[in-house]
Amino acid sequence: MDSLQGLPPLSTLSTSVSSTLNAKLGTNHDLTQAPSVVAEFLTQCDDLERNLVHLNRTLESNLASYASFSNRIGHLFGIVNSKLIDLGSSVCLRSSVSDGQGLGEELPSLAKEVARVEAVRAYAEVASKLDNLIGDIEDAVSSTMNKNLRKDSSAQNSEETRMVAIKTLKVTEDLLTSVTKARPQWACLVSAVDHRVDRSLAILRPQAIADHRALLTSFGWPPSLSNLTSSSLDARKSSEVPNPLFTMHGDLKRRYCENFFALCCLQELQRQRKSRQLEGHNREVALHQPLWAIEELVNPVSVACQCHFSKWIDKPEFIFALVYKITRDYVDSMDELLQPLVDEAMLTGYSCKEEWISAMVTSLSTYLAKEIFPIYIGQLEEESVTGIRSQARKSWLHLIDLMVSFDNRIKPLVEQSGILLSLLEDGTPRKISSLSVFCDRPDWLDMWAEIELDDAMEKLKPEIDEERNWTKKVQGADLSNSDDYKSPAVSSITFTCLSSLIERCRLLPTVSLRSRFLRLTSTPVINFFLDCLLLRCQEAEGLTALTDDDALIKVSNSVNAAHYSESILKEWCEDVFFLEMGLDQGEHPGESVAEYSGREVPIEEYGNGIFHEEIVKFEDFRTQWVEKITMVILRGFDAQCRDYIKNRRQWQEKSEEGWTVSQTLIGALDYLQAKMAIIEENLNRVDFAGIWRSLAAGVDKLIFNGILMSNVKFQEEGVERFGYDVEVVWGVFRAWCLRPEGFFLKVSESLKLLKMEKEQLEDSLKGGQKRMKENGIRHLSVAEVEKIGKNRVYTK
């Protein structure tokens, strides 16, 4: 009993000692084990005493080294002082002996010596100051480590000591930064200090994180997920589980906030050190790290979630619902409670809300990459080996649907923080997308693209094979302009399919991934559609050589589809989304781009975006088949008016009675009007304009070479008859322009020559090119004018 009375009062014991005694001596049975408990305590005391002895020896060693260093510094100062005295004596002696002569020759060497002495003094002062700061840091770190050895220490004292160490580290870093800028030659001194600071940080940060985790556990983080069910995942708020960040209060809240603030200060200090050490390098990528304190919040939540995830492998929609619910329910507390602490720590460029969302999405992506995708990959590989079609592809597409839907739901949470995703750099957008799993696994992206392409082609091929989709028209309302492209419905169906593929990849986190996905999916679809157009045109050409009206209509529909497709792609490529991918094809301006094509294309040609080559292919297709339609009609017109052109005598005779136009020309004009009516009805306005202009130029050339350049003699009656015929030909084209003669340049000027009086014609021939231009002849050469003039027969 006397020994028991000798125990200290309970109020004098520390909290840790009291809790230990309560745990070990809680019952009467425990009292029987008291000797073993005493032996255990004695063993621990021996260990602590040995540690204390070791620390004392370490302190003595450090003090001895510091004393040695101080002695060296004092010795250096003595040498400097003696040299300065000798220098002063030398200057006075030389001045008295030579009365100032020759001193100018010694001044450069004296100045150099003074500068060297000053540099030594400055180096000694900075080294001494840094050594004192490092000593203070190491003392603070040691004090923090020994907080559990002192019974009277408290958590508050521990945090205060840690903040003293952090503030001293900040002062040291500021001094090192100034030294690095002002004295780059002192790199060895900076390196030595960095080494000692790194050793202190290697102790300080893990200890702060350990204390942070203990605090999280003490106030019940992570929140319980055991009462969540699949039906409750869609609830707007988790009413059953309160937010521990809001429910903690008093001393616990103060300690947590202090520890959170200390972690933020440590991270900002680390950023400053990295910024200084990486000066001149690509610092932005290396400096951006996740917020340490937020990571400590997310890690235990992620571990707790994975217990549920393992039960939902076959129901991944529950996985996404749980992650979204947790992310949404606790996102507000990040701004209200923790963001002010981040701002106070001057940790610029960080949003607690964004870091919380980013860390939760990253944990989801990591789980998908480790657990979900490998299962689907195995199923696909098994399917490729056995050749038996399974549900693997549908499961893959369903998972992608869930990922896209999840990213679309997460995006508003990020935007509420006031951060624009389009302006983020250093890879930050990559973290806020579950599709970031493809960043590290491009082979999975290729597999996804292959599945999407197969699915799109399965849906598209039946629509293309349906003939009704080639006869039914789609109006130009699908585009921003009002042109009627007269395109078949199959083109709209094709681009609806393309639009769905593009929407699938919009949320991919990097431009290169989006570009790769589109190259692997959209480009094959576009080329397949273009091949279908070419095949239909070749079939029509092979059967009737385009002389049949149905063949012309078939080719016209294909040309319309190509024009519609070209316009859609051009309009898409004006969007920034596609322009970025077009510019991503080359790493440097002017670099040649040869990927996905058989020829090198200068990067300047990618101004239209990623679909530039496809646009060029559609343009070439349209040009080729518009020219073929023009040539077919022109050959038919030539065949119809062959008798008209061969009749050379008609230009020396009067017109038939009652006729103002040659009868042999009427059939050719009927043929031309009939074909043009079919083309005008079925072809789009732009390409039809190209056809009638080309036909006008072709007919002009045909009449000019066939009649005017064939040494035909024109009398007065023939000129009049030729004028009537030409007017009728122009009348065919007057439906599409006001002055068709402007497209018959040679014929119209030749008719003008034939109608000239003899003297005026002879004057034009004598005056040469200048006189011809004065008379309105600008498109005929002198030789052609002379030939026409010789064939003009004047009877008066």
Side-chain angles (χ1 to χ4, degrees), residues 325-546:
K325 181 175 180 61
I326 295 173
T327 305
R328 180 198 62 201
D329 288 353
Y330 299 101
V331 71
D332 293 335
S333 58
M334 302 299 151
D335 259 358
E336 296 178 20
L337 178 64
L338 304 180
Q339 186 62 44
L341 299 174
V342 174
D343 297 338
E344 184 181 354
M346 304 297 288
L347 195 54
T348 58
Y350 280 92
S351 163
C352 286
K353 180 183 288 186
E354 179 204 341
E355 290 296 321
W356 165 257
I357 297 171
S358 172
M360 288 298 298
V361 174
T362 300
S363 67
L364 172 62
S365 300
T366 303
Y367 184 81
L368 292 176
K370 289 183 177 180
E371 303 295 337
I372 304 297
F373 272 99
I375 296 176
Y376 291 171
I377 296 295
Q379 293 174 353
L380 289 172
E381 291 176 349
E382 181 180 352
E383 178 183 300
S384 63
V385 172
T386 60
I388 301 175
R389 194 99 172 168
S390 66
Q391 295 294 319
R393 292 174 179 265
K394 290 184 179 179
S395 300
W396 183 290
L397 293 176
H398 178 58
L399 179 62
I400 297 297
D401 289 337
L402 293 174
M403 295 171 73
V404 171
S405 175
F406 175 81
D407 287 353
N408 283 324
R409 297 175 73 189
I410 284 293
K411 188 176 179 181
L413 296 180
V414 181
E415 291 173 346
Q416 288 172 10
S417 65
I419 298 175
L420 299 177
L421 290 179
S422 59
L423 299 180
L424 294 176
E425 296 180 356
D426 23 306
T428 308
R430 167 178 170 175
K431 300 184 300 180
I432 313 181
S433 172
S434 60
L435 295 171
S436 60
V437 295
F438 296 111
C439 293
D440 299 322
R441 294 303 301 265
D443 55 325
W444 289 0
L445 181 76
D446 296 349
M447 191 173 294
W448 172 31
E450 180 184 351
I451 295 173
E452 290 283 0
L453 178 60
D454 291 343
D455 183 66
M457 296 298 279
E458 286 181 3
K459 297 175 181 177
L460 185 60
K461 285 180 179 179
E463 299 290 345
I464 289 181
D465 294 338
E466 179 61 50
E467 191 62 30
R468 286 183 303 174
N469 291 330
W470 291 94
T471 56
K472 182 181 177 181
K473 302 293 184 181
V474 57
Q475 298 301 317
D478 291 348
L479 292 167
S480 61
N481 54 48
S482 58
D483 288 340
D484 184 4
Y485 290 88
K486 299 182 180 180
S487 178
V490 69
S491 56
S492 178
I493 294 171
T494 301
F495 276 85
T496 300
C497 176
L498 279 176
S499 298
S500 66
L501 290 174
I502 292 168
E503 289 303 317
R504 301 280 276 177
C505 78
R506 276 189 181 272
L507 292 177
L508 281 170
T510 64
V511 175
S512 59
L513 286 180
R514 296 194 289 268
S515 175
R516 185 181 182 89
F517 182 86
L518 283 185
R519 283 292 181 187
L520 293 173
T521 55
S522 298
T523 300
V525 172
I526 294 172
N527 290 332
F528 171 75
F529 182 57
L530 184 59
D531 290 340
C532 292
L533 298 180
L534 180 61
L535 180 61
R536 290 179 65 85
C537 291
Q538 289 175 340
E539 289 176 351
E541 184 183 32
L543 291 175
T544 63
L546 302 184

Side-chain angles (χ1 to χ4, degrees), residues 165-286:
I166 293 173
K167 291 178 181 178
T168 309
L169 282 167
K170 179 69 169 61
V171 174
T172 304
E173 179 58 31
D174 292 341
L175 181 56
L176 287 176
T177 301
S178 62
V179 169
T180 302
K181 293 179 180 179
R183 305 279 189 175
Q185 66 272 22
W186 294 357
C188 292
L189 174 63
V190 173
S191 176
V193 175
D194 276 339
H195 179 67
R196 295 179 66 181
V197 170
D198 287 338
R199 285 192 301 178
S200 298
L201 288 174
I203 300 173
L204 199 60
R205 179 188 170 187
Q207 194 173 47
I209 290 177
D211 291 345
H212 191 83
R213 291 173 180 172
L215 285 169
L216 290 177
T217 304
S218 66
F219 67 76
W221 188 271
S224 175
L225 304 178
S226 58
N227 57 349
L228 287 177
T229 62
S230 59
S231 60
S232 67
L233 292 178
D234 294 329
R236 179 66 186 93
K237 285 290 181 182
S238 180
S239 57
E240 301 85 356
V241 182
N243 188 344
L245 292 174
F246 284 150
T247 57
M248 66 174 177
H249 56 274
D251 183 65
L252 183 60
K253 183 176 181 179
R254 177 189 57 76
R255 288 165 53 198
Y256 175 75
C257 291
E258 288 178 352
N259 189 271
F260 187 96
F261 176 73
L263 270 180
C264 292
C265 291
L266 271 176
Q267 187 162 2
E268 175 59 21
L269 175 66
Q270 186 72 4
R271 287 185 65 193
Q272 292 179 2
R273 287 171 54 75
K274 290 294 182 183
S275 178
R276 169 177 57 80
Q277 293 169 352
L278 296 175
E279 185 71 35
H281 299 81
N282 187 10
R283 294 185 296 174
E284 288 73 15
V285 175

Side-chain angles (χ1 to χ4, degrees), residues 128-155:
S128 177
K129 188 173 183 180
L130 286 172
D131 187 67
N132 291 333
L133 290 172
I134 293 297
D136 294 342
I137 294 170
E138 292 173 344
D139 290 343
V141 172
S142 298
S143 176
T144 306
M145 288 180 61
N146 296 332
K147 69 180 186 299
N148 291 327
L149 299 178
R150 302 174 185 174
K151 295 181 179 180
D152 59 344
S153 65
S154 64

